[in-house]
Amino acid sequence: MSRDESSGVTDVPRWEQRFRASRVSLPEWAEQAPERALFVSNATGTYELYAWDRESGAQRQVTDRANGTTDGMLAPDGQSVWWFDDTDGDEFGVWRRQPFGGGPDVLAVEGLEASYPAGLALGLDGTVVVGRSTDEDGSTIHVVRGTGEAAEPVEVYRHRESAGVGDLSHDSALLAIEHTEHGDAMHSSLRVLRVADGSVVADLDDSEGGTKELGLEVLGFAPVDGDSRLLVGHQRRGRWEPMIWDPVTGTETELAIDLPGDVSADWYPDGSALIVGHSFEARGELWRYDIGSGVLAQVETPAGSVSGATARPDGSVEYMWSSAAEPSVVRSTSGGVVLDPPGARAPVSVPVETVWVDGPGGRIHALVQRPAGQGDGPFPTIFEVHGGPTWHDSDSFAAGPAAWVDHGFAVVRVNYRGSTGYGREWTDALKHRVGLIELEDIAAVREWAVDSGLADPARVVLSGGSWGGYLTLLGLGTQPDAWALGLAAVPVADYVTAYEDEMEALKALDRTLFGGTPEEVPERFSASSPLTYVDDVRVPVYISAGMNDPRCPIKQIDNYVDRLVERGAVHEVYRYEAGHGSLVVEERIKQVRLEIDFVRRHLKG
């Protein structure tokens, strides 16, 4: 009988223990009732919302749905929890509201039909702003003021292109929205409206009508009544960094935050300082920026990744931290762990090594984990490709890669062109030759892995989920000699059909990436579609798909699988009743177990 000392659980593989270990998100607290908080946890085996009274320590499960719930918001007065109610992960639904202390769920806003969510803002005075997205209406934003029968939603914004709620000013007088009216879904512009009548206060458009690839994002209004300062993220110097914009006066204030990576920020509760998040070369750290003096001081955190932070009324900072080796934990600068989930802590894994590889578009950053105690290699190796594509792998804890390390694999994660965290040009390189650009970088890192002795060239597996699943299928067809197997979760498989069936916001993104629709640029969609190359796939392929997925819909996956069946190609498909992934722990474990079993049966040696 085996026994893992870190968890006290017997006869359960370490990789399964990591998935089953209780997790919590960074708690969100109510501005008018800081002792009340909301967080997400998998304590019951499904990720759900929990209310937490920090004074008494009492925790209460708010939602209880078969496929889980993670989209929620705590009202500023701490009296209620808002949560998004969709159907089995299809992301199409309505907002509901439940008393913080428990009670029946009610429809939060009467008069709004179901939609895809496009942001939510709750004002201190009870003002509500709801963003919606539908195929029929495009993007709409609605304001509800007052209570009772008079509290009907009033439409203040409508456009065919993507848009969403940014933030409400502290006194609920101003509303900031992000929009892409210029047609570039990767680079938003900003507009500030008067909540009272929906009139435009000011516009901020760094893209100059879509002619420049420069984006903006809303980071939040100053938390002070009558203060119209808006914290804004911009890309004017080739990376994300914050500035302060006053839409009423038109004043723009640059901030002396001279850090090399992408920078985000949020306000301290009194509006005098900013808590600054800095992401650089796959690791994260925190800083405090004093607005009056311009002094930037580091907030001490362990080496690894900080995935979120919030400043409390007493000036302390709470943050979510992890590394590839150490599971996530919510810490405070005042000392100790803020919120310790019940049950066993996840077993540790192995640290990452960082590697830089020369590629066709510049130096590529990759993260490598080697199985402990098994020599120097070469190892069977899995290339675990991240989704997004506007995302990046980091030195943070992930149960999936750790499972492969436990099974004797080296794991390589590549922050290919298109990834965030390496400057605007690196992210924006992903245009027109969609998928093919990323695979060029992945191929360069694969060559390094083989030449360095890390990877056994006959046992290199390509794997990923969402955009990573798409790149997996595309890679199996365009680089058929490079990979021994493929594992694709919730992938794009037939890009034209995917475009036809996906949610409207993703259609807008695809038009930006390809430079048009499938009718306008058919050759680009064809060149980037895995279905085009399905007859060139020579190795076994495993595909998993959510039946209710609005991002990578099931029909286009079925089209790809039908072609594999016609060819008699070795493949397996697993379909499950959820959306773009699962929030149920046992379902996640089942999917990883199926992938491991597939590799065991089909990978030589």
Side-chain angles (χ1 to χ4, degrees):
M1 177 178 289
S2 64
R3 183 177 181 89
D4 186 271
E5 295 180 356
S6 66
S7 65
V9 179
T10 60
D11 291 335
V12 177
R14 288 169 60 87
W15 72 266
E16 288 191 25
Q17 292 176 39
R18 294 193 189 96
F19 280 94
R20 289 198 171 95
S22 294
R23 291 180 173 83
V24 294
S25 65
L26 180 70
E28 167 196 341
W29 52 275
E31 184 173 349
Q32 294 174 314
E35 74 283 357
R36 292 191 167 187
L38 180 71
F39 64 92
V40 176
S41 177
N42 65 340
T44 64
T46 302
Y47 284 86
E48 298 285 3
L49 295 168
Y50 288 77
W52 176 29
D53 187 318
R54 300 177 65 138
E55 287 187 341
S56 68
Q59 298 177 8
R60 183 185 67 83
Q61 184 176 340
V62 175
T63 53
D64 185 8
R65 303 195 303 154
N67 283 296
T69 315
T70 58
D71 290 341
M73 182 178 292
L74 185 59
D77 61 6
Q79 294 299 309
S80 61
V81 175
W82 290 55
W83 60 275
F84 192 75
D85 184 13
D86 66 349
T87 302
D88 295 331
D90 67 359
E91 301 182 43
F92 193 84
V94 296
W95 287 99
R96 299 197 184 278
R97 187 177 68 247
Q98 182 183 128
F100 182 85
D105 294 306
V106 298
L107 184 63
V109 178
E110 298 282 353
L112 292 180
E113 297 295 327
S115 69
Y116 296 110
L120 175 71
L122 304 177
L124 297 174
D125 64 351
T127 297
V128 175
V129 183
V130 179
R132 302 172 67 253
S133 174
T134 65
D135 292 345
E136 297 76 19
D137 297 332
S139 302
T140 60
I141 296 177
H142 308 260
V143 172
V144 182
R145 307 191 78 177
T147 57
E149 295 182 358
E152 294 184 358
V154 176
E155 183 179 298
V156 296
Y157 181 87
R158 175 183 289 262
H159 201 277
R160 284 302 312 170
E161 297 292 345
S162 296
V165 177
D167 194 25
L168 266 176
S169 62
H170 199 256
D171 55 10
S172 297
L174 303 175
L175 168 64
I177 64 174
E178 299 178 358
H179 70 84
T180 58
E181 292 178 4
H182 45 62
D184 182 351
M186 293 181 68
H187 302 95
S188 294
S189 298
L190 306 185
R191 179 168 298 156
V192 174
L193 308 176
R194 291 182 182 86
V195 173
D197 58 10
S199 60
V200 176
V201 176
D203 281 292
L204 193 62
D205 179 15
D206 279 7
S207 75
E208 298 183 6
T211 60
K212 292 184 177 180
E213 294 183 334
L214 294 174
L216 296 165
E217 62 177 344
V218 173
L219 300 178
F221 276 105
V224 180
D225 273 347
D227 192 336
S228 56
R229 292 177 301 164
L230 179 64
L231 193 61
V232 170
H234 69 90
Q235 297 178 301
R236 296 174 182 176
R237 298 192 294 184
R239 60 189 177 89
W240 282 108
E241 55 187 318
M243 70 174 184
I244 295 175
W245 174 47
D246 189 327
V248 174
T249 66
T251 304
E252 296 180 15
T253 305
E254 292 195 8
L255 306 176
I257 302 176
D258 189 18
L259 298 171
D262 282 346
V263 177
S264 186
D266 197 2
W267 299 91
Y268 271 75
D270 63 0
S272 66
L274 304 176
I275 181 68
V276 173
H278 177 225
S279 175
F280 183 58
E281 297 184 352
R283 291 182 172 85
E285 57 188 17
L286 295 176
W287 298 73
R288 183 186 188 277
Y289 179 78
D290 186 273
I291 295 173
S293 65
V295 173
L296 182 67
Q298 188 163 9
V299 177
E300 292 300 324
T301 60
S305 292
V306 177
S307 57
T310 180
R312 294 279 292 167
D314 64 359
S316 65
V317 175
E318 296 176 351
Y319 60 94
M320 176 68 79
W321 174 91
S322 73
S323 70
E326 295 286 342
S328 60
V329 61
V330 181
R331 299 179 180 270
S332 172
T333 55
S334 62
V337 174
V338 175
L339 182 59
D340 203 6
R345 182 170 168 80
V348 300
S349 186
V350 298
V352 294
E353 308 166 24
T354 60
V355 175
W356 290 91
V357 177
D358 290 332
R363 297 177 71 229
I364 308 161
H365 194 199
L367 305 177
V368 177
Q369 290 172 281
R370 302 170 186 260
Q374 298 192 32
D376 297 326
F379 305 105
T381 300
I382 184 163
F383 273 65
E384 188 73 32
V385 184
H386 73 71
T390 50
W391 189 253
H392 68 271
D393 281 314
S394 61
D395 182 10
S396 57
F397 195 77
W404 291 108
V405 172
D406 284 357
H407 285 82
F409 281 75
V411 177
V412 180
R413 291 179 283 171
V414 181
N415 285 329
Y416 48 75
R417 278 173 290 171
S419 302
T420 56
Y422 300 88
R424 180 181 61 82
E425 290 186 2
W426 190 259
T427 302
D428 289 348
L430 181 57
K431 291 288 181 66
H432 300 178
R433 293 182 60 248
V434 177
L436 305 173
I437 289 173
E438 304 96 293
L439 286 169
E440 289 175 352
D441 292 348
I442 292 169
V445 177
R446 183 196 180 280
E447 182 179 0
W448 165 85
V450 172
D451 291 347
S452 69
L454 172 74
D456 179 345
R459 295 190 294 166
V460 183
V461 177
L462 187 59
S463 174
S466 189
W467 196 264
Y470 158 63
L471 293 178
T472 294
L473 295 184
L474 188 63
L476 296 181
T478 60
Q479 302 168 346
D481 296 325
W483 312 105
L485 293 176
L487 308 171
V490 290
V492 173
D494 170 3
Y495 222 128
V496 173
T497 303
Y499 180 88
E500 294 170 352
D501 294 347
E502 68 193 5
M503 60 173 62
E504 181 59 36
L506 289 181
K507 285 187 172 72
L509 175 61
D510 284 340
R511 290 193 295 271
T512 297
L513 291 174
F514 287 96
T517 67
E519 292 76 19
E520 294 166 339
V521 286
E523 70 287 350
R524 291 178 183 171
F525 276 84
S526 176
S528 295
S529 178
L531 186 64
T532 300
Y533 310 97
V534 65
D535 292 340
D536 296 319
V537 175
R538 303 173 188 169
V539 299
V541 56
Y542 174 88
I543 299 172
S544 59
M547 297 293 291
N548 305 311
D549 191 344
R551 298 173 182 266
C552 299
I554 193 66
K555 179 181 175 182
Q556 51 94 27
I557 294 174
D558 289 341
N559 291 346
Y560 185 91
V561 171
D562 288 346
R563 289 282 292 274
L564 291 176
V565 172
E566 291 172 5
R567 291 180 51 223
V570 178
H571 72 283
E572 292 179 14
V573 182
Y574 172 65
R575 300 174 178 86
Y576 55 96
E577 288 292 339
H580 198 61
S582 176
L583 299 175
V584 179
V585 172
E586 288 302 322
E587 176 62 37
R588 291 185 176 187
I589 291 173
K590 179 181 180 180
Q591 292 180 25
V592 175
R593 187 182 293 121
L594 288 170
E595 290 183 349
I596 292 170
D597 179 65
F598 184 84
V599 171
R600 278 177 170 160
R601 287 184 285 111
H602 294 286
L603 188 66
K604 297 178 180 179

